Amino acid sequence: MTLNNKQKQYLKGLAHSLKPVVLLGQHGLTEGVLAEIELALNHHELIKVKVAAEDREVKTLIMDAIVRETNAIKVQTIGHVLTLYRASELKKITLPR
């Protein structure tokens, strides 16, 4: 699934007031963190993940791994915060056309 610009802008607007649901700490990306991201995506559809990595390249690699492993769509990245979207069976968020 891909999003067009209008849909991404809509999701960015919805995500603006959200706080990060999952925080990556010193242990980095573990199976437990991925499980928490999966649960949050299934429950909320649109979440923020804070990646506390000092090195920019490491941070980018971790964010790409999260997107790849969760099959979610990266809506945006601002600083250390990654915004993800993945539709669930309940379709809580209705995207514009």
Side-chain angles (χ1 to χ4, degrees), residues 38-97:
E38 288 284 340
L39 285 172
L41 280 170
N42 288 336
H43 188 263
H44 298 290
E45 290 186 345
L46 183 68
I47 65 167
K48 286 184 177 180
V49 178
K50 186 169 185 177
V51 179
E54 294 297 322
D55 189 19
R56 183 176 287 176
E57 293 175 11
V58 172
K59 180 177 68 173
T60 304
L61 289 173
I62 291 173
M63 288 181 178
D64 291 342
I66 291 170
V67 171
R68 183 178 62 248
E69 294 295 321
T70 59
N71 293 322
I73 297 170
K74 179 169 81 170
V75 177
Q76 71 177 348
T77 303
I78 298 177
H80 294 283
V81 180
L82 169 68
T83 305
L84 296 172
Y85 170 76
R86 186 177 71 196
S88 66
E89 290 90 33
L90 300 177
K91 300 281 187 194
K92 296 178 183 179
I93 298 174
T94 305
L95 294 174
R97 296 252 173 230

Side-chain angles (χ1 to χ4, degrees), residues 7-23:
Q7 292 168 332
K8 279 190 180 183
Q9 291 296 341
Y10 177 73
L11 289 173
K12 286 177 186 180
L14 289 178
H16 181 73
S17 62
L18 296 177
K19 301 281 186 231
V21 176
V22 179
L23 304 166

